[in-house]
Amino acid sequence: MTDSSLPPRLGGLTFHGPLSEARAARLVGRIAAAAPADVLDIGCGWGELLLRVLDAAPGARGTGIDIEAEDLARGRALARERGLADRVTFVEESALGTDRGPVDAVLCLGSSQALCDPGQPHDPAAALRELRRLVRPGGRVVLGEGFWERTPTGTELAAMWPGRRAGDHLSLGALVDLTIAAGFRPVWIERASRDEWEEFESGYRSDTELWLAANPGHPLAAETRERVDRQRSSWLNGYRDILGIAYLTLVATA
């Protein structure tokens, strides 16, 4: 049970990323149009997009994988509310090396790091090879992946978060080239807008900001305030308009 005296976690978000309702509907429509029998969501969080795909593709069953138990519990509750509990399974486990494929469709939005060796720098090529392993020929993948809108300066990198390097992300063109090398064709290429980013960044912290305003003397207020201020600064003074999110709809080649 959630303790209402504690700072809330992500309650102001529908999606755990800069994704608008309109774009989500388009992504769901492209996956559902292929009439998948099974859908796998890597790093699913509470599985909002997965549940929408299942609602739009009545013949499909889904599995969501994540390591955050609280998010998975939220996903199960949402599935029950929408009458989808018998068609979806939320599993608390690592996605690295998962044997839950191949399937007809894979969702991986902001979670490709879950498919990489955690002891090594993030490797989008390795993540794409794993995604190709997890989807059948002709199957679909929706990948949400970071890329540099432009190469950040040293000052901008230092303002993001500790250890951030220019090599952590590719350009959009280089990222798309990697998808082709991994055995996909890019059916649709789009990127998050500034409005989507601002909706996400404000929504990410909005409930916590309200909690801080109402509970300035709470024992956790100081550390929560420091964390939220650090997060906001890394966006406004670091990656805003520099880090992009690409939404790539891919089809697996034979």
Side-chain angles (χ1 to χ4, degrees):
M1 181 178 296
T2 301
D3 185 343
S4 60
S5 71
L6 297 178
R9 182 177 182 275
L10 307 181
L13 294 176
T14 300
F15 303 103
H16 195 176
L19 180 62
S20 66
E21 288 284 347
R23 193 183 309 280
R26 294 193 295 270
L27 295 174
V28 168
R30 291 183 200 122
I31 294 293
D38 38 20
V39 185
L40 176 64
D41 192 346
I42 301 293
C44 65
W46 51 88
E48 179 65 34
L49 202 68
L50 173 61
L51 294 174
R52 294 187 186 204
V53 169
L54 297 181
D55 189 52
R61 300 186 65 85
T63 301
I65 299 174
D66 206 290
I67 59 173
E68 289 287 347
E70 183 179 344
D71 288 347
L72 294 168
R74 178 177 170 183
R76 295 184 189 105
L78 289 171
R80 289 192 296 270
E81 290 172 8
R82 300 178 193 182
L84 296 170
D86 61 337
R87 293 172 51 209
V88 65
T89 302
F90 288 100
V91 185
E92 185 180 351
E93 65 182 28
S94 169
L96 186 62
T98 181
D99 60 359
R100 294 185 180 276
V103 294
D104 286 341
V106 178
L107 308 176
C108 184
L109 279 77
S111 300
S112 65
Q113 71 279 357
L115 298 170
C116 299
D117 183 344
Q120 300 295 324
H122 179 234
D123 185 350
L128 282 160
R129 289 192 296 270
E130 273 294 277
L131 287 171
R132 181 62 192 85
R133 180 181 70 83
L134 291 170
V135 68
R136 299 184 183 105
R140 305 294 196 271
V141 169
V142 171
L143 173 66
E145 183 69 17
F147 71 96
W148 292 131
E149 299 274 7
R150 62 170 174 80
T151 303
T153 67
T155 300
E156 289 165 340
L157 283 169
M160 294 183 192
W161 48 84
R164 178 56 84 188
R165 302 174 299 113
D168 288 344
H169 296 291
L170 303 169
S171 68
L172 180 55
L175 176 61
V176 172
D177 288 346
L178 279 185
T179 70
I180 295 170
F184 294 104
R185 298 303 302 178
V187 176
W188 208 273
I189 301 167
E190 54 195 308
R191 63 182 183 177
S193 67
R194 176 183 273 197
D195 284 349
E196 286 173 304
W197 268 110
E198 292 180 352
E199 182 81 10
F200 168 64
E201 291 288 348
S202 291
Y204 189 86
R205 285 173 287 275
S206 60
D207 283 352
T208 305
E209 293 285 14
L210 290 170
W211 181 88
L212 282 168
N215 298 275
H218 192 282
L220 295 177
E223 66 181 76
T224 301
R225 187 179 302 110
E226 190 277 333
R227 171 176 55 82
V228 169
D229 289 348
R230 185 175 63 248
Q231 290 171 343
R232 185 191 323 100
S233 179
S234 71
W235 167 47
L236 292 175
N237 299 311
Y239 59 86
R240 185 171 186 256
D241 295 332
I242 299 171
L243 176 63
I245 296 290
Y247 293 109
L248 307 179
T249 302
L250 310 171
V251 62
T253 57

